[in-house]
């Protein structure tokens, strides 16, 4: 029973991480389009939906390869956040390599920099909230085995 529940929670965790990543891209897009000073504002016409799809694929693989989705019950928060930092940084390197290799032109570096900062922030905040809620839940005696 607990193993099946853990699988469902893991899938939900992955979906939320990808939603946070998509939201970070959207916030970076809005910031670049409307909130930056006039000299840095605006984007060249480009299909950013395809870029977002590429990002989501890369992020899924990077997060999974860095062990973000393994059990984190006994890990310190800073260890978990360090895994996220490594995964997002590796994801950015892979993204830059893919953009160069696929010869995708006119991608704003400012947009990608904003996305990096927003993505790390959203993932850190989301994970910190989830871990603190899970610890509080376990402290109340839930989510533990009684033998």
């Amino acid at each position: 029973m607990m193993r099946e529940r853990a699988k469902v929670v893991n899938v939900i965790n992955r979906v939320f991480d990808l939603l946070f990543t998509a939201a970070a891209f959207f916030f970076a897009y809005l910031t670049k389009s409307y909130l930056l000073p006039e000299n840095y504002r605006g984007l060249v016409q480009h299909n950013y939906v395809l870029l977002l799809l590429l990002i989501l694929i890369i992020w899924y693989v990077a997060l999974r390869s860095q062990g973000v989705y393994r059990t984190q019950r006994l890990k310190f928060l800073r260890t978990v956040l360090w895994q996220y930092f490594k995964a997002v940084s590796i994801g950015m390197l892979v993204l830059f390599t893919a953009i160069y290799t696929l010869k995708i032109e006119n991608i704003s570096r400012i947009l990608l920099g904003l996305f990096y900062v927003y993505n790390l922030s959203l993932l850190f905040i989301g994970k910190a909230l989830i871990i603190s809620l899970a610890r509080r839940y376990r402290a109340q005696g839930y989510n533990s085995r009684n033998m």
Side-chain angles (χ1 to χ4, degrees):
M1 176 75 171
M2 287 185 72
R3 201 169 275 169
E4 290 84 20
R5 194 176 312 160
K7 288 180 183 178
V8 171
V9 168
N10 200 344
V11 168
I12 291 170
N13 191 14
R14 292 175 194 207
V15 168
F16 271 106
D17 282 350
L18 293 178
L19 287 174
F20 286 148
T21 299
F25 187 80
F26 180 69
F27 291 145
Y29 184 86
L30 289 178
T31 302
K32 176 73 170 112
S33 296
Y34 303 109
L35 299 177
L36 289 180
E38 195 68 38
N39 295 346
Y40 302 106
R41 191 180 303 169
L43 291 166
V44 176
Q45 289 295 336
H46 192 275
N47 193 350
Y48 285 99
V49 174
L50 291 176
L51 181 63
L52 177 60
L53 180 63
L54 180 63
I55 287 170
L56 292 176
I57 292 168
I58 292 170
W59 258 239
Y60 179 78
V61 172
L63 289 168
R64 189 168 178 169
S65 70
Q66 287 302 310
V68 170
Y69 300 120
R70 292 187 198 121
T71 183
Q72 297 169 352
R73 181 180 290 213
L74 302 175
K75 293 181 183 176
F76 291 111
L77 179 61
R78 68 175 174 264
T79 305
V80 175
L81 296 183
W82 176 246
Q83 287 179 316
Y84 271 94
F85 177 78
K86 288 189 307 185
V88 172
S89 297
I90 290 169
M92 285 301 287
L93 289 173
V94 172
L95 178 65
F96 283 129
T97 304
I99 288 171
Y100 178 76
T101 304
L102 299 173
K103 296 183 179 14
I104 301 172
E105 296 178 355
N106 299 324
I107 301 294
S108 170
R109 291 177 302 233
I110 294 174
L111 172 75
L112 293 177
L114 289 169
F115 165 69
Y116 180 74
V117 171
Y118 291 164
N119 191 226
L120 279 176
S121 300
L122 285 176
L123 289 173
F124 282 5
I125 291 168
K127 185 51 75 172
L129 285 173
I130 289 171
I131 288 175
S132 66
L133 288 175
R135 286 184 180 157
R136 185 176 304 147
Y137 191 65
R138 278 193 294 275
Q140 294 174 352
Y142 299 106
N143 196 23
S144 59
R145 279 190 185 173
N146 295 325
M147 295 195 179

